[in-house]
Amino acid sequence: MNTPRLYWLVAAGLVVLGLLAGTATVAAVRERSALIEDVASASGPVSVDAQTLYRALADADATAATAFLAGGAEPAGLRQRYLDDLAKATAALTVALRDAGDDDAARLRVVADQLPVYTGLVETARSYQRLGVPLGGAYLREASALMQQTLLPASAQVFDSTQRRVAAEQRDASGFPWLVALLALVTAGALGAAQVLVARRSRRVLNPGLVVASLVLVLALLWSAAALTVSANRLEAGQRDGTDLVSTLANAGRASLQARANESLTLVARGGGADFEKTFGRQIAELTGTNGWLASALAQAPESDRKLIQQARDEAARWQELHGQVRELDDGGDWEKAVELATADGTDDLSSVFGRLDAAIIGALDTANERVDRQADAAAGALRGLAAGLLLLTLGLVAGVVLGFRPRIGEYR
């Protein structure tokens, strides 16, 4: 094959490789940016809304049971907390329904349909309680069963599915770009081989155009590698110290809130609450056991988060001590004293201890959720401008190849 024709073929091949490598890299960057944007603006917020919905519903159930124990004149604070929980749940449900995908929206509609049924049962239970009619406890147990068997599982499924989606998007956006790396290496190898070919046939050591194209490729590789590495590291930190920790803490919150409701329902049942007490025991073990949710969260969390989680563990241990006292009184036949201990809200009483436990879990959750957002923003920032820059560098590479071969081809005319 004569030299001009060979030069044409080599130049065309380099242009095609350069365009393929540039296009693939730009596409990969844009795809990653879209995934990061979805974490920050769609999947992540839906996950937070689902957390809020679940916590508000579970806390409303626990609060309703505790307020019921107080008898006819329920404490105003508990009543207001219950109403506030319903308001939070309704607001979170409205936003989540707007942003959720089809499957999650179907689950949320179950919550929307059944929440009025739940509140109706609670109000009926309150009415009977104020009148001194024993049927009130039955209605409250029916309401709690609806909450724990229908509303809370549907809310949990939404949270779990969005958490899986967030984690998958974080993994996808931080994965190694194998195709981009392969095309870049092939292009670099082809540019090197082309310069050797031109040097041998033209007897010139360096070809300025091909040198420029090579430098442009090196710049593109260094920029891309640095930006993608920083972005991937931020996303991995967001998943490890954010998304994964959020899931663990959310499970701790679930266990604590449901245990609190079952603790009160055991007393509401007045001697017939063995099943509630058994469920309480299982849930508190999930929360505080050696391999429980709080222990797992403490092991996962960065140093800055551990103080709150340790506080939650300490309050949970104190809760177990007070629960043992409640059960001792109730099992010993002093139901009124057991209710008094369970509903008292002094500094070291059960209600206050649980309140501090719940506040510590919420604080740790908020910190972990903020970390997911912060790391997503940092990951997006690392990629900002990269796609546009790569387009210009790709054009520069192509121009370098053309300017490198055009004079050499012209020598044979």
Side-chain angles (χ1 to χ4, degrees), residues 117-140:
V117 178
Y118 169 81
T119 56
L121 289 169
V122 170
E123 293 309 308
T124 302
R126 291 179 65 241
S127 298
Y128 279 127
Q129 177 74 343
R130 286 196 299 271
L131 294 172
V133 178
L135 277 175
Y139 276 98
L140 186 69

Side-chain angles (χ1 to χ4, degrees), residues 254-338:
R254 291 179 192 178
S256 65
L257 289 165
Q258 291 187 24
R260 178 61 170 157
N262 281 297
E263 179 179 53
S264 296
L265 289 169
T266 302
L267 292 172
V268 170
R270 302 196 67 153
D275 289 341
F276 294 119
E277 176 60 22
K278 183 178 179 180
T279 304
F280 170 88
R282 186 185 73 249
Q283 290 163 341
I284 204 70
E286 291 174 355
L287 178 67
T288 63
T290 304
N291 297 316
W293 295 120
L294 288 177
S296 298
L298 197 61
Q300 286 178 250
E303 186 66 33
S304 59
D305 293 18
R306 291 178 184 170
K307 182 177 180 181
L308 273 175
I309 298 171
Q310 185 58 54
Q311 179 184 338
R313 292 189 77 185
D314 294 342
E315 298 295 349
R318 178 57 180 155
W319 179 15
Q320 285 183 283
E321 293 176 8
L322 292 171
H323 178 80
Q325 296 174 25
V326 170
R327 294 309 323 140
E328 184 177 350
L329 288 169
D330 188 27
D331 294 339
D334 196 346
W335 183 83
E336 288 81 6
K337 189 66 176 177

Side-chain angles (χ1 to χ4, degrees), residues 23-41 166 168-182 223-236 375-384 386-387 390:
T23 301
T25 307
V26 170
V29 170
R30 286 181 172 172
E31 181 183 8
R32 286 167 185 248
S33 296
L35 288 170
I36 295 169
E37 176 65 22
D38 195 56
V39 169
S41 64
V166 169
E169 289 172 341
Q170 288 171 321
R171 286 193 300 271
D172 291 344
S174 61
F176 187 81
W178 292 104
L179 177 60
V180 170
L182 176 62
W223 187 5
S224 299
L228 291 172
T229 299
V230 170
S231 179
N233 288 341
R234 294 294 190 179
L235 288 169
E236 287 170 0
Q375 298 291 17
D377 288 342
L383 299 181
R384 194 165 293 121
L386 180 58
L390 287 173

Side-chain angles (χ1 to χ4, degrees), residues 162-212:
T162 54
Q163 282 294 98
R164 286 193 297 270
R165 186 160 60 249
V166 169
E169 289 172 341
Q170 288 171 321
R171 286 193 300 271
D172 291 344
S174 61
F176 187 81
W178 292 104
L179 177 60
V180 170
L182 176 62
L183 286 171
L185 289 174
V186 171
T187 303
L191 274 171
Q195 291 182 72
V196 172
L197 171 67
V198 172
R200 288 178 177 176
R201 297 220 172 191
S202 67
R203 302 194 183 280
R204 292 179 176 86
V205 176
L206 295 176
N207 180 291
L210 293 180
V211 169
V212 169

Side-chain angles (χ1 to χ4, degrees), residues 25 184 188 191 210-228 385-386 388-394 396-397:
T25 307
L191 274 171
L210 293 180
V211 169
V212 169
S214 298
L215 290 175
V216 167
L217 179 61
V218 169
L219 178 59
L221 287 174
L222 290 176
W223 187 5
S224 299
L228 291 172
L386 180 58
L390 287 173
L391 282 173
L392 293 175
L393 290 172
T394 299
L397 186 151

